[in-house]
């Protein structure tokens, strides 16, 4: 596949390098000249090209990967006007991007979200192996997504070692609000305790260190991801604030009332990450793939004739213990 | 100093071994026979003794360290009736224990709390080096604590490598609610998202992993520490729930409103742990020591003649960034 990667930060840069390492013809572009220069320094050794505009990068591409922030996606999609190949993206929210792609008339858009990241960012932090073993959401809208396009991307990314998770954009946005966006807000609130009390910083230990690690993420990035998914983040916050209020009431009346919830939450945490079950053949049919995703499963390979995929479900009943 | 350690779990066991390694005559006791046997297996090699009752352990001790759960402290203090030496403890809440010690008539009680821990517990997980570099609260009540007793403990524990933090029991309980107890409840609420959605477990990555790590702590232990400190935990929860509600409102009206708080919280987190300043002589006077603790400082040594201590303040203004 002939690929263009627009945006060469941590994810885009890693993708550029991984695709080149996989033998694909790939061209990158970044709006920042210094980033393009950084990438060009690596280009001869790693076998990719760097273009000077979105249009130049996309001119002979069959696939364009948009690895730019949500805030500039509208503009970049505008610069792609006339492109009739496959488009995917890597932003952490999927319904808003699906709507943007529709607004620009791109019908061959398949939303993506690799669940890979580090505290560091930028091309300098990128690496070809970033996606090995990572969960990579590929959105499948039952009546809109072209299954062949979806399978093309699933094949490309499973070959980098990613575990492809088939879900709808709406299912994705709810889940990442809970497991990624709200955790950043919780971390900030916990870290905020240090603002008024130097003593707190001295007494803080392991639970504080881990519970606040992602509070050190750039504030603009936290705002971009939670703001981009504000509806689902708001819903998740409301639910979790309710849990905290219940805990406060239980603590006041009888702390032992906390035990059942703490045991259940501790049980699912101890069983995470899930133990993968045995690989199984799964028909390459949209509803079957979505059912796999809802059950916590993923895809590790696409059959050459595309009539089935190799899927894995988590082995344990995580709700036990 | 001749020491008795009552309770030989992770903290008590580590203390037994550290004191023996430091050349002190030390006797341990645990209510659990299997734990006593485990400790006895190590006793000849490490140079401590194991007794068969609280009274036997304490019979010739100048200092008794209570390393038992808060829930049994009342009973153990009852078994110590008649002991007239120095008493300290290691439980994670200090005002309730101060009240218990008063109820039993122990005037030479100095509350302690080493901020050391692991996910694993029990004597098998104990190690003599557990306290090296750890912050260890020693409570100093301006009108009640005997300063000489306080300095005896400060000297003993600084020699194990601990950083002694002088604070009142009330200041301690507020701070640990914020940096230790509430983080456990936040972790449980974040982990609880997995209860209803197997998909969430698949999409969870680094922010979930770290934000929920301590949710795997035994539920009984979380209940014991947050229930034992329920007043301050309730206050901290109320304040932090308020911050989360503000965030939710800001997200709904204009996500950029989140930036100032996220930047401030990220700034203090990036500057944590604090950079220690230069060691300085500090007069061994209660109010001066407490002022050091409130400023985020700690003590690394006690002068032999006990007229001063060596204190360290954090170097940076952590509120900048």
């Amino acid at each position: 596949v002939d690929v263009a990667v627009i945006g060469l930060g941590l994810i885009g840069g890693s993708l550029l390098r991984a695709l080149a390492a996989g033998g694909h013809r790939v061209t990158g572009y970044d709006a920042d000249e210094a980033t393009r220069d950084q990438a060009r320094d690596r280009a001869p050794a790693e076998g990719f090209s760097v273009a000077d505009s979105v249009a130049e990068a996309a001119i002979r591409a069959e696939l364009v990967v948009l690895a730019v922030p949500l805030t500039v996606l509208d503009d970049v999609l505008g610069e792609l006007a006339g492109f009739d190949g496959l488009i995917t993206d890597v932003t952490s929210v999927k319904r808003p991007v699906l709507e943007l792609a529709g607004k620009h008339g791109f019908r061959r858009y398949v939303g993506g979200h690799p669940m890979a990241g580090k505290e560091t960012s930028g091309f300098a932090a990128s690496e070809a192996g970033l996606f090995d073993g990572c969960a990579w959401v590929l959105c499948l809208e039952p009546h809109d997504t072209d299954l062949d396009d979806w399978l093309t991307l699933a094949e490309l990314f499973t070959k980098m070692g990613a575990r492809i998770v088939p879900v709808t954009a709406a299912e994705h946005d709810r889940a990442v609000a809970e497991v990624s966006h709200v955790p950043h807000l919780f971390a900030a609130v916990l870290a905020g305790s240090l603002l008024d009390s130097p003593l707190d910083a001295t007494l803080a230990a392991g639970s504080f260190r881990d519970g606040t690690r992602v509070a050190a993420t750039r504030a603009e990035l936290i705002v971009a991801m939670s703001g981009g998914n504000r509806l689902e983040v708001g819903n998740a916050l409301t639910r979790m604030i309710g849990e905290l209020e219940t805990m406060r009431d239980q603590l006041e009346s009888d702390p032992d009332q906390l035990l059942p919830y703490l045991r259940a939450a501790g049980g699912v945490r101890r069983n995470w990450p899930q133990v993968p079950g045995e690989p199984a053949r799964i028909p390459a049919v949209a509803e079957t793939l979505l059912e796999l995703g809802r059950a916590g499963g993923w895809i590790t390979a696409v059959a050459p004739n595309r009539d089935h995929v190799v899927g894995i479900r988590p082995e344990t009943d995580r709700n036990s213990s």
Side-chain angles (χ1 to χ4, degrees), chain A residues 168-205:
Chain A
T168 65
E171 288 165 338
H172 167 276
D173 288 357
R174 182 200 52 72
V176 294
E178 295 186 341
V179 299
S180 173
H181 303 162
V182 170
H184 281 79
L185 302 180
F186 270 40
V189 167
L190 290 178
S193 290
L194 269 50
L195 289 168
D196 298 322
S197 171
L199 172 64
D200 282 26
T202 307
L203 300 192

Side-chain angles (χ1 to χ4, degrees), chain A residues 211-257:
Chain A
T212 59
R213 184 183 60 88
V214 295
T217 307
R218 272 198 313 125
E220 290 75 10
L221 193 59
I222 300 177
V223 166
M225 56 189 191
S226 52
N229 195 19
R230 64 170 92 178
L231 179 66
E232 292 295 350
V233 173
N235 290 342
L237 272 176
T238 296
R239 182 179 67 71
M240 295 196 204
I241 286 170
E243 302 278 12
L244 291 170
E245 286 170 338
T246 301
M247 285 180 162
R248 185 183 53 188
D249 296 344
Q250 290 174 331
L251 262 181
E252 197 178 324
S253 62
D254 174 9
D256 281 347
Q257 292 179 344

Side-chain angles (χ1 to χ4, degrees), chain A residues 18 22 24 132 153-162 164 300-302 304:
Chain A
H24 298 279
D132 193 26
L153 292 173
E155 185 176 22
L156 189 66
F157 299 143
T158 50
K159 286 185 173 168
M160 289 176 190
I164 299 298
T300 58
V302 175

